Amino acid sequence: MKIFITGLPLEVGEDELTAVFGDFGQVKSLRIIKDRETGQSRGFGFVEMPVEEEAKEAIKRMNGGDYNGNRIKVAEAQEKPNTGGNGGGGFKRNNRTEKSY
């Protein structure tokens, strides 16, 4: 099960967070998301735990808790929807069939 964590203090490292989640069970992977330019934590990350019951217990016990002075939110990660688009944005043309001049 993949878990989403937000509200992490910027100084928290992956080893420390792995140890915290390890109190609930095996941690398969953990990643704190970092800014591309500065390399500093963006305050959120993902934990993957192979045993669903252990992951749910971690979510239940940690969500809304205080972590080094920050209130964290912990929830099951939602899969990013695949919109099937080209990723572009911007101007959209009017698709009406009648022409106006």
Side-chain angles (χ1 to χ4, degrees):
M1 174 182 252
K2 197 167 189 180
I3 301 170
F4 175 69
I5 314 146
T6 187
L8 290 171
L10 301 182
E11 65 276 1
V12 172
E14 291 181 354
D15 290 342
E16 177 182 339
L17 203 56
T18 299
V20 169
F21 276 88
D23 288 345
F24 298 98
Q26 180 187 358
V27 174
K28 182 176 178 183
S29 66
L30 183 135
R31 185 168 148 222
I32 294 175
I33 306 304
K34 298 183 178 175
D35 183 90
R36 290 181 195 187
E37 293 180 19
T38 66
Q40 185 178 21
S41 168
R42 293 185 60 200
F44 69 95
F46 297 91
V47 177
E48 190 173 356
M49 298 179 75
V51 180
E52 187 172 334
E53 295 80 25
E54 293 172 351
K56 286 182 178 183
E57 184 66 18
I59 291 168
K60 180 177 142 186
R61 303 238 342 251
M62 293 184 68
N63 186 39
D66 180 82
Y67 192 83
N68 292 356
N70 284 24
R71 186 176 189 100
I72 61 170
K73 293 182 182 177
V74 183
E76 183 175 353
Q78 302 298 310
E79 290 297 319
K80 193 173 183 180
N82 184 0
T83 59
N86 63 3
F91 183 76
K92 289 190 175 193
R93 295 179 186 258
N94 186 344
N95 289 333
R96 289 189 282 168
T97 55
E98 62 186 64
K99 293 184 182 182
S100 60
Y101 296 95

